[in-house]
Amino acid sequence: MAHLLKKEKDYRYIEVGEGTPIIVLHGLMGGLSNFDAVTDFFGSNGYKVIIPELPIYSMSLIKTNVKSFANYLRDFIEFKELDNVILLGNSLGGHIGLYHTKLYPDKVKGLVITGSSGLYESAMGSGYTKRSDYEVIKKKAQDVFYDPEVATKEIVDEVYETVNDRNKLVKTLAIAKSAIRHNMAKDLPKMYTPTCIIWGKNDNVTPPEVAEEFHELLPDSDLFWIDKCGHAAMMEHPIEFNTILNGWLESRNF
């Protein structure tokens, strides 16, 4: 289902459903549509799903970092007058969710991370030296998934356009450096927010041992695996992803 993008103040976002707020945080090259299945399912099952468009390429270069995005999220939550939110983040979005929770733990009721950065960065911003070669970019986009067919031409074209836009490439590299700088290994043991970790067993970007380390370091976390699945579980196995998440939310009375 296509969802309407709302524009209010300095924010652009999708909002679907009524109930407990779930704020979804997209990744570096991830569009809001990556979460269509999540939005449709939870938006019609007692949750208000909100997906803000993160200012990844519109922040000044000096503010293009994980901490600035976490503060942007805080401002957005205040603007929407929300409290006790559940944050759901994929890849860089997971990292932003984690960092926001570290800074403002009283605002976050629960955290869901999938293929999150924050402990290990391998593919963020790397390997774009041959960015003008469409086939190279196509292979990189396909490697994100277990099934390369999930990387549609539309997805590949978007990645190709992003890495060939000099401004966006500079910001991408800045974010990659910031993600490494904002490693969260020392912070996680002090974060008691209930956390659901959903991970693809075949994730090449943030490999399975990253999920295990998150699980080990976060005091109140549950780890779930999805087989034959890469870096974006909510896209590659949407039904399984939603079933796991729904079960976890029910078990936590969220």
Side-chain angles (χ1 to χ4, degrees):
M1 191 202 298
H3 301 106
L4 194 66
L5 197 64
K6 293 187 175 183
K7 294 168 192 175
E8 287 184 300
K9 206 183 166 196
D10 300 327
Y11 303 107
R12 290 153 60 91
Y13 63 96
I14 285 166
E15 182 175 333
V16 177
E18 285 301 328
T20 304
I22 298 177
I23 297 183
V24 176
L25 305 164
H26 61 83
L28 183 57
M29 305 239 180
L32 309 196
S33 61
N34 293 10
F35 293 91
D36 277 353
V38 167
T39 309
D40 292 341
F41 180 84
F42 290 99
S44 53
N45 278 286
Y47 295 91
K48 183 196 287 279
V49 181
I50 304 171
I51 317 180
E53 204 172 74
L54 298 170
I56 288 174
Y57 302 117
S58 55
M59 279 265 196
S60 66
L61 189 58
I62 201 160
K63 286 189 170 177
T64 302
N65 59 60
V66 173
K67 188 176 180 181
S68 291
F69 297 142
N71 285 323
Y72 177 90
L73 175 59
R74 175 208 57 200
D75 294 345
F76 179 71
I77 289 170
E78 278 181 12
F79 168 72
K80 291 295 293 172
E81 298 179 345
L82 298 170
D83 223 356
N84 280 332
V85 300
I86 294 159
L87 298 180
L88 188 176
N90 172 238
S91 203
L92 175 68
H95 198 165
I96 294 166
L98 284 157
Y99 206 82
H100 176 279
T101 304
K102 171 198 160 179
L103 296 176
Y104 313 106
D106 54 324
K107 288 279 180 194
V108 183
K109 177 156 73 170
L111 189 56
V112 185
I113 56 173
T114 179
S116 178
S117 60
L119 287 176
Y120 171 88
E121 280 57 65
S122 75
M124 283 185 71
S126 67
Y128 292 122
T129 45
K130 293 185 175 172
R131 64 184 191 273
S132 60
D133 187 328
Y134 187 84
E135 287 308 310
V136 170
I137 298 303
K138 181 179 178 182
K139 177 77 171 69
K140 271 192 80 74
Q142 289 175 335
D143 284 349
V144 169
F145 306 102
Y146 175 79
D147 175 5
E149 294 297 308
V150 180
T152 59
K153 185 175 185 307
E154 190 183 5
I155 288 171
V156 176
D157 287 351
E158 202 171 309
V159 175
Y160 184 77
E161 184 271 322
T162 298
V163 298
N164 280 285
D165 177 322
R166 192 171 183 286
N167 174 50
K168 288 184 177 178
L169 183 67
V170 167
K171 300 271 176 83
T172 299
L173 297 172
I175 293 162
K177 284 179 189 158
S178 164
I180 293 163
R181 254 196 339 270
H182 291 87
N183 185 289
M184 301 203 62
K186 291 191 176 113
D187 303 311
L188 299 177
K190 297 173 250 175
M191 292 170 56
Y192 290 90
T193 305
T195 305
C196 175
I197 304 165
I198 307 176
W199 223 265
K201 271 193 180 170
N202 312 89
D203 188 338
N204 294 321
V205 182
T206 44
E209 54 268 29
V210 180
E212 284 161 2
E213 194 178 345
F214 270 121
H215 184 38
E216 209 174 286
L217 292 172
L218 283 160
D220 186 8
S221 63
D222 300 293
L223 173 58
F224 303 92
W225 296 105
I226 298 183
D227 203 11
K228 295 184 177 169
C229 179
H231 187 57
M234 70 290 165
M235 289 174 74
E236 202 158 4
H237 291 280
I239 294 169
E240 198 173 341
F241 183 90
N242 288 343
T243 303
I244 290 169
L245 179 51
N246 194 46
W248 183 81
L249 292 168
E250 283 179 355
S251 75
R252 295 292 186 141
N253 293 319
F254 290 164

